[in-house]
Amino acid sequence: MTRTSVTRTSVTRTARVVQAAAVAAAAVSAHSVLNLALLRRPDPRPPAVHERVSVLVPARDEQDCVGLLLCDLRDQSGLDDVEVLVLDDASTDGTRTVLDAAADADPRVRVLSGVGPPPGWLGKAAACQRLADEATGTVLVLVDADVRLAPHAVAATVDLLRRHHLDLVSPYPRQLALTWPERLVQPLLQWSWASLLPLRLAERTPRPSLSAANGQLMAVDAEAYLRAGGHAAVRDEVLDDVALVRRVKATGGRGGVADGTTLATCRMYDGVEDLAEGWGKSLWSATGSPFGAAALVGLAGAVYVLPVVAGLRGSRWGAAGYAAAVVGRAVVARRTGGRVADAWTHPASVLAWSVLVGRSWRGRNAGTLAWKGRQLPDGRAG
């Protein structure tokens, strides 16, 4: 075979790969449209909740935001019987002062003291279990300290849980991304489950890979929580929220994500360093294994990066694949309160995610991962 023949064969194979990638990108985007049409939505005027609701808030070094959240919780409507339990998880800033002031102003608020996780536990799981142990409600609503809530958020979340006969529901908050690194990476959170996870099937199947949740806002039936073993059953899981919904489904329950765009907002990370540390502590767990991580990075690159490169070199299939990816990203952004105009950066977002995956695994293997000032010998941050 001549050199020219080899070159032609290589070009043909590359063209076929680009064509397959374009078809895959279009299929994923089409699935996004279907998924979002099926996404469970909260009632903007939920009915009053008559059962006892326990709102659980783990807080560590959250002096700048936990007071705002507690103001939101005090202003919640449609709750006949509610308690708010907040755990000061060995904070080193002024969090406790803020919490004590809130408790003095509202008898429904009770502050617990934490001393850090016991051996074998990660920090957030230990804090959530301590709060759940003190709770007296028939439904537990877990809220992160950096979340802001609409006045009907808790009632609407409980209504989602009960109206759809779920055991756990996680209304995904609108994610705030202000700096360019945040705008590049954070939208992948919503895009991943909206595009890749068959939502209705995921609610009922016990298959672990078909699970999603966001601990920023999550409601779980108290009996289902106990049946699943609570956070004690996921004590060493970095992604404790996803692990909890898996446990709920494994023990006969149903649960998954819902639309929380109108209920809550959250800015998870502030700038590139915070973002890299936050994603780094958990991406190794999300990708399963080094081989799995390499496979996912390779597949994502083939579907979302290769087409744009080919398109810049004149490939119509490449241009079509890039356009399909942008449309899918834009549809998700529009539906979940993101920046539609940033959809064109999707290939760059995938590249940035790939770098973060590699960084996460390097930190995992070196035992250098940390979060909120805590580090474990094996690199798992709590």
Side-chain angles (χ1 to χ4, degrees):
M1 183 178 293
T2 65
R3 180 177 298 179
T4 300
S5 298
V6 172
T7 301
R8 288 176 179 172
T9 301
S10 178
V11 170
T12 300
R13 288 176 178 171
T14 301
R16 288 175 179 171
V17 172
V18 171
Q19 182 177 350
V23 171
V28 171
S29 294
H31 184 250
S32 301
V33 174
L34 174 62
N35 243 0
L36 293 173
L38 296 173
L39 182 63
R40 299 196 188 278
R41 305 181 184 188
D43 190 332
R45 293 184 177 86
V49 177
H50 302 299
E51 62 185 303
R52 184 163 176 80
V53 177
S54 298
V55 180
L56 313 181
V57 183
R60 175 171 168 80
D61 294 343
E62 300 284 6
Q63 66 176 4
D64 295 331
C65 56
V66 71
L68 298 173
L69 170 64
L70 291 174
C71 286
D72 291 344
L73 288 172
R74 288 198 296 270
D75 292 338
Q76 290 298 296
S77 60
L79 303 174
D80 289 350
D81 188 8
V82 61
E83 64 176 351
V84 178
L85 305 178
V86 191
L87 178 74
D88 173 26
D89 189 13
S91 297
T92 60
D93 62 1
T95 295
R96 186 55 188 253
T97 301
V98 175
L99 296 181
D100 287 340
D104 289 342
D106 192 331
R108 298 173 301 175
V109 178
R110 183 154 62 99
V111 180
L112 308 177
S113 297
V115 294
W121 288 71
L122 297 188
K124 187 174 180 182
C128 290
Q129 184 63 60
R130 171 76 187 287
L131 289 164
D133 289 342
E134 296 285 337
T136 59
T138 54
V139 59
L140 312 179
V141 178
L142 294 100
V143 188
D144 278 359
D146 54 356
V147 169
R148 298 301 308 274
L149 297 173
H152 66 299
V154 175
T157 298
V158 175
D159 177 59
L160 277 171
L161 184 79
R162 298 312 193 196
R163 175 161 45 99
H164 297 295
H165 308 289
L166 301 172
D167 296 282
L168 182 151
V169 69
S170 178
Y172 218 97
R174 182 166 66 91
Q175 302 297 307
L176 303 181
L178 304 184
T179 65
W180 261 109
E182 295 170 72
R183 290 170 62 179
L184 198 63
V185 177
Q186 287 302 98
L188 293 179
L189 289 172
Q190 299 97 312
W191 176 85
S192 61
W193 57 259
S195 298
L196 304 175
L197 190 69
L199 293 179
R200 292 299 174 86
L201 174 63
E203 282 184 353
R204 61 182 183 272
T205 177
R207 188 172 181 177
S209 60
L210 296 181
S211 300
N214 187 336
Q216 293 169 357
L217 177 59
M218 185 162 60
V220 58
D221 177 80
E223 290 186 3
Y225 180 83
L226 290 174
R227 187 169 61 246
H231 278 83
V234 298
R235 67 188 68 184
D236 59 350
E237 295 283 353
V238 174
L239 297 172
D240 60 277
D241 44 12
V242 177
L244 183 61
V245 74
R246 287 173 176 167
R247 284 290 305 168
V248 167
K249 293 193 297 179
T251 52
R254 297 173 62 239
V257 295
D259 180 12
T261 303
T262 61
L263 302 183
T265 60
C266 182
R267 186 185 183 190
M268 289 180 67
Y269 307 120
D270 183 1
V272 64
E273 292 185 6
D274 199 28
L275 181 146
E277 185 178 18
W279 282 73
K281 71 178 170 62
S282 57
L283 271 178
W284 68 268
S285 179
T287 51
S289 68
F291 176 80
L296 287 173
V297 166
L299 182 61
V303 175
Y304 293 111
V305 179
L306 179 60
V308 73
V309 174
L312 291 173
R313 300 180 66 179
S315 169
R316 292 183 178 179
W317 277 106
Y322 171 62
V326 170
V327 168
R329 171 80 172 263
V331 166
V332 174
R334 181 180 179 84
R335 183 67 183 78
T336 59
R339 295 174 184 262
V340 176
D342 287 352
W344 68 274
T345 67
H346 193 62
S349 296
V350 171
L351 285 174
W353 170 82
S354 301
V355 172
L356 290 172
V357 170
R359 176 190 174 100
S360 180
W361 273 103
R362 285 194 300 272
R364 171 70 169 90
N365 294 333
T368 58
L369 297 181
W371 184 246
K372 297 282 187 181
R374 289 175 176 161
Q375 180 178 349
L376 295 182
D378 61 0
R380 291 182 292 179

